[in-house]
Amino acid sequence: MTEAAQGRDADDDEDLSPGWDAITAALERVYPGQEPKHYATVIKWMLGGPDPLDGVSVWKRMEPVPHWHYLSYGLSELYAKESNDADTSGYGFELTFRLACEPDDEDPPAWAVNFLQNLARYVFKSGNVFDDGHWMTANGPIALEQETLIRSMGFVFDPELPAIDTPNGRMSFIQVVGLTEDEERAGKQWDTRKLLEALLPAMPLWVTDLARPSLLDDAEVRRRVEEGAARDGSSSGFLFTEVLGWESSKRLLRSSVTEITLGARQVDELVALLPLRLTFGRDFHFASREKALVFEHGETDSVSEEDDRLVMRLSDATVRELARTLKPVAGTYEVRGFGAVRWKVQKTTIRDPQGNVVRTIG
């Protein structure tokens, strides 16, 4: 991307861009008289370029903490109306991102522009959209080659940019908020939107600071989060795993047993989420690309196979016993009082993009 004048590319001055102009007008109400830095895409996506966004604008501000405020242009319909949904502009949102900076910094970091392009690329290729309360793991630092604990993201309506109506339909401003891995887990065990609200007093305007520690290190913040999860349960009903399989076998003079195989990496999350789902009467899906293990609340324990789904109905007592018994360590586990199922945990090997082993769990 290249830095260009705000508004649109220099060679687009005669283009009709009512969507773009509506977005710019919304930002001018927040930053009256301030000209942002704008980074335009050299070759547009529609012309075969690699970057889906037409550009990213960045404003600098000093309150409540010094930070850069990034805004994408391209997830909504900037020019003519093309989608069939008359009420929504494009995907219905643009992304914003607030990144902490030093008061005397003159230029916003370029990696954050590429970061927003990568998120937009995911939306364009998958068709999946981001919304208030969503989360997404980055599978590594959100800023490559930088030492940071920020390895995940939450999504929330930008606190200073309400949704707007444009000539091409309605759209929202969805802010990306950098989270640590334990904050991500806390959001899944409770609710991402409620977690972000609990973090807000320690993270004004949800500004992402790559240098910060986990906010859960603060005893008061952790208390609020843990009390919220215990009160409300978990809003996360799905956990993906690379390793999942089962096999049922008959035993002489005894009932059959089903042995379930899973990877050590997901065990901690599984046993943390189950009590926060089932004891609140909510189902939970633990799934790979081919199979799914469906947990349901029941007065008595049972297990049944339905095509590529294994359905387990567990009582509150068995859920608690499973959470105490299953460990992220390779081995075979049996839950007291539920002998119909045996759990086999395998080691999980984590590799970097080059295929090198960086971590082994279990």
Side-chain angles (χ1 to χ4, degrees), residues 142 148 261-262 306 314 360:
I142 64 169
T148 178
T261 301
L262 66 161
E306 303 172 5
L314 304 178
T360 299

Side-chain angles (χ1 to χ4, degrees), residues 16-86:
L16 293 177
S17 52
W20 191 308
D21 294 340
I23 295 169
T24 300
L27 269 296
E28 286 176 346
R29 289 192 288 271
V30 180
Y31 299 105
Q34 181 179 344
E35 189 75 15
K37 293 179 179 290
H38 184 74
Y39 298 86
T41 300
V42 177
I43 302 176
K44 295 183 179 181
W45 183 270
M46 66 181 69
L47 300 177
D51 296 326
L53 299 175
D54 279 23
V56 174
S57 287
V58 192
W59 289 259
K60 186 179 182 180
R61 62 182 299 164
M62 303 305 293
E63 300 294 338
V65 294
H67 68 276
W68 299 107
H69 193 184
Y70 294 75
L71 168 72
S72 73
Y73 283 88
L75 287 160
S76 61
E77 289 171 297
L78 304 174
Y79 312 108
K81 180 67 179 175
E82 297 181 355
S83 66
N84 295 325
D85 187 347

Side-chain angles (χ1 to χ4, degrees), residues 55-325:
V56 174
S57 287
V58 192
W59 289 259
K60 186 179 182 180
R61 62 182 299 164
M62 303 305 293
E63 300 294 338
V65 294
H67 68 276
W68 299 107
H69 193 184
Y70 294 75
L71 168 72
S72 73
Y73 283 88
L75 287 160
S76 61
E77 289 171 297
L78 304 174
Y79 312 108
K81 180 67 179 175
E82 297 181 355
S83 66
N84 295 325
D85 187 347
D87 297 328
T88 304
S89 177
Y91 289 104
F93 67 96
E94 293 290 350
L95 291 171
T96 74
F97 180 55
R98 298 174 187 265
L99 180 64
C101 68
E102 296 297 329
D104 57 352
D105 285 350
E106 296 184 358
D107 294 304
W111 71 262
V113 176
N114 296 325
F115 171 60
L116 292 179
Q117 287 284 8
N118 285 335
L119 291 175
R121 192 172 294 111
Y122 164 79
V123 174
F124 272 60
K125 290 184 176 180
S126 70
N128 298 327
V129 299
F130 299 119
D131 202 354
D132 185 71
H134 285 185
W135 65 271
M136 185 179 193
T137 184
N139 291 317
I142 64 169
L144 297 179
E145 299 180 357
Q146 294 198 40
E147 289 292 331
T148 178
L149 296 177
I150 308 301
R151 295 168 171 260
S152 184
M153 296 155 275
F155 297 84
V156 66
F157 290 131
D158 190 299
E160 294 186 319
L161 294 171
I164 61 173
D165 291 306
T166 79
N168 294 329
R170 192 164 180 80
M171 57 151 292
S172 302
F173 297 92
I174 302 294
Q175 182 173 326
V176 188
V177 183
L179 299 173
T180 62
E181 290 179 328
D182 62 339
E183 291 164 357
E184 176 200 307
R185 287 194 297 271
K188 286 186 282 188
Q189 291 171 22
W190 184 17
D191 178 277
T192 300
R193 187 63 173 81
K194 293 176 180 178
L195 171 75
L196 290 171
E197 288 290 345
L199 299 182
L200 186 57
M203 188 192 289
L205 288 181
W206 290 300
V207 172
T208 296
D209 183 351
L210 296 184
R212 73 170 177 85
S214 169
L215 297 179
L216 297 179
D217 291 345
D218 183 292
E220 177 59 24
V221 173
R222 180 173 289 277
R223 183 191 62 79
R224 289 200 301 267
V225 172
E226 290 177 346
E227 288 181 353
R231 179 187 65 244
D232 303 329
S234 171
S235 63
S236 298
F238 181 90
L239 180 62
F240 178 78
T241 179
E242 292 284 355
V243 180
L244 179 62
W246 58 79
E247 183 176 352
S248 297
S249 58
K250 294 182 178 181
R251 299 182 294 181
L252 184 63
L253 303 179
R254 292 190 294 174
S255 59
S256 62
V257 63
T258 300
E259 183 173 87
I260 301 172
T261 301
L262 66 161
R265 183 179 188 181
Q266 281 76 34
V267 169
D268 276 343
E269 282 194 280
L270 176 63
V271 299
L273 288 169
L274 280 179
L276 296 169
R277 292 289 299 182
L278 270 63
T279 60
F280 286 81
R282 303 166 190 163
D283 297 347
F284 186 74
H285 292 244
F286 185 67
S288 67
R289 290 183 176 85
E290 296 83 20
K291 296 186 176 185
L293 182 57
V294 181
F295 295 90
E296 299 177 353
H297 184 263
E299 295 302 320
T300 59
D301 302 325
S302 66
V303 57
S304 61
E305 188 169 2
E306 303 172 5
D307 298 323
D308 292 329
R309 290 159 37 104
L310 189 69
V311 180
M312 300 182 64
R313 293 178 177 85
L314 304 178
S315 65
D316 288 352
T318 300
V319 170
R320 290 191 292 268
E321 188 64 27
L322 176 60
R324 284 192 293 265
T325 302

Side-chain angles (χ1 to χ4, degrees), residues 334-345:
E334 294 189 14
V335 176
R336 185 174 55 187
F338 191 32
V341 173
R342 182 185 299 134
W343 301 84
K344 184 178 180 180
V345 176

